[in-house]
Amino acid sequence: MASSAFLLPVIAVFVLLFAVPLAQTFYFSLTNFSGYSTDVEFVGLKNYATVFSDPSLLQGLVFTIMFALATTVLITVFAIPLAVVLNKRFLGRNLVRSLFFFLSVPSMAILGLVWQYILSPLDTGVVNSILHSLFGADAVAWLAQSTSARVCVILVAVWAGVGWHATLYLAYLQAIPADLYEQAELDGAGQLQQFRHITLPQLAPGIVVSTFLLMSGGLKVYDLPFTLTKGGPGFATNTLTQSIIVQGIAQGRADVGSALAVIFTAAVALIVLAQLAVSNRIERNLS
């Protein structure tokens, strides 16, 4: 009983900062609350019907899920081999590690503004200048077409996140006992077999942590797409968090914004629970 008392402050903070606001949000999602007036009326599921009938909001839901899944898979695929390389001894290893980690230091908002210049549709844009110098190619409006804009947003996020997650995997790699590899070499195991039967199983806890952070971060992404494309062209790179802010604050539709927030919370909970179940199964199979 005495040990449980230490949980009371945590429970109090959880109730005040999460449970109460979530209950209020659910209540407002069933009303016509504008966010500026206390005169509200119960409207049932009308706001939820509005969300699922608005193409711009549905595009935000689709791109958010696409962004979370793509960045989780791509960053994991690139970060693990990079961590294995950075774990080997070579001249300038610490400098190379620092360079990769540095990409995760600036905020996503700053990186979005920098990449907006790099991907500028004008001839002065860095990418267009390089392509014109090497191949004589005409300038391309990378952020003005739906498909290329989505690809650019995802690739910039991958570029920025690989170094940080490689550093996370590097910490797990350095905890693997060296005698496991020595014994494997004595048994005649090659590099690929050592990676399959020693490195990958030992990295299983790190994979669970990394993919959980990537998925949860991807679902609530806001700053990078907003600074890079403003959610455009059209609503191609619009995200759920951007829609919640626009609906709830900019357009004074706190009722629809609340419905979006409830749907977003439910979707995140379901996806994260599914991801944890899959991750635990993968961890058991690799161990």
Side-chain angles (χ1 to χ4, degrees):
M1 183 65 182
S3 59
S4 302
F6 290 102
L7 294 176
L8 292 178
V10 178
I11 295 174
V13 171
F14 176 81
V15 170
L16 288 175
L17 299 183
F18 181 78
V20 172
L22 182 61
Q24 287 182 319
T25 302
F26 180 69
Y27 167 71
F28 289 137
S29 72
L30 302 174
T31 69
N32 63 349
F33 182 52
S34 67
Y36 301 102
S37 172
T38 56
D39 185 17
V40 297
E41 294 180 3
F42 182 77
V43 296
L45 300 177
K46 179 182 177 183
N47 295 319
Y48 292 92
T50 301
V51 170
F52 287 107
S53 61
D54 189 329
S56 65
L57 300 180
L58 289 178
Q59 284 193 48
L61 175 63
V62 171
F63 178 69
T64 300
I65 295 175
M66 181 192 304
F67 178 89
L69 291 175
T71 53
T72 299
V73 172
L74 291 176
I75 288 178
T76 302
V77 167
F78 287 116
I80 292 177
L82 177 61
V84 172
V85 172
L86 295 179
N87 195 40
K88 297 182 181 299
R89 294 183 181 277
F90 57 88
L91 183 63
R93 181 177 65 172
N94 291 335
L95 175 62
V96 175
R97 288 178 176 178
S98 302
L99 290 176
F100 279 106
F101 181 75
F102 175 76
L103 299 179
S104 62
V105 175
S107 72
M108 282 294 183
I110 294 175
L111 293 179
L113 294 174
V114 171
W115 274 93
Q116 193 179 49
Y117 167 73
I118 295 174
L119 297 170
S120 170
L122 304 177
D123 291 334
T124 54
V126 176
V127 174
N128 282 334
S129 298
I130 293 174
L131 292 177
H132 181 72
S133 301
L134 295 178
F135 308 107
D138 296 330
V140 178
W142 300 99
L143 303 178
Q145 301 174 22
S146 298
T147 302
S148 60
R150 286 172 173 166
V151 171
C152 288
V153 171
I154 291 171
L155 290 183
V156 171
V158 172
W159 170 82
V162 166
W164 192 92
H165 286 271
T167 305
L168 177 66
Y169 286 122
L170 188 59
Y172 282 90
L173 285 174
Q174 292 180 343
I176 300 175
D179 55 355
L180 290 179
Y181 293 103
E182 294 171 357
Q183 183 62 45
E185 288 181 1
L186 291 176
D187 293 339
Q191 294 289 327
L192 190 59
Q193 291 174 309
Q194 292 180 32
F195 177 80
R196 168 66 183 85
H197 297 289
I198 298 177
T199 304
L200 206 53
Q202 295 292 325
L203 280 182
I207 294 174
V208 173
V209 172
S210 174
T211 53
F212 177 79
L213 293 175
L214 285 169
M215 183 61 76
S216 58
L219 290 172
K220 62 184 180 183
V221 64
Y222 171 77
D223 41 10
L224 178 61
F226 182 76
T227 53
L228 189 58
T229 63
K230 299 291 188 296
F235 298 98
T237 58
N238 195 32
T239 63
L240 269 182
T241 50
Q242 187 176 336
S243 297
I244 292 172
I245 293 173
V246 170
Q247 295 288 335
I249 299 176
Q251 298 185 5
R253 301 176 65 189
D255 49 357
V256 177
S258 298
L260 268 173
V262 171
I263 295 171
F264 176 67
T265 304
V268 169
L270 289 175
I271 292 174
V272 169
L273 287 175
Q275 184 206 357
L276 286 176
V278 173
S279 299
N280 289 334
R281 187 167 185 175
I282 293 175
E283 186 177 5
R284 285 197 301 271
N285 292 335
L286 290 177
S287 299

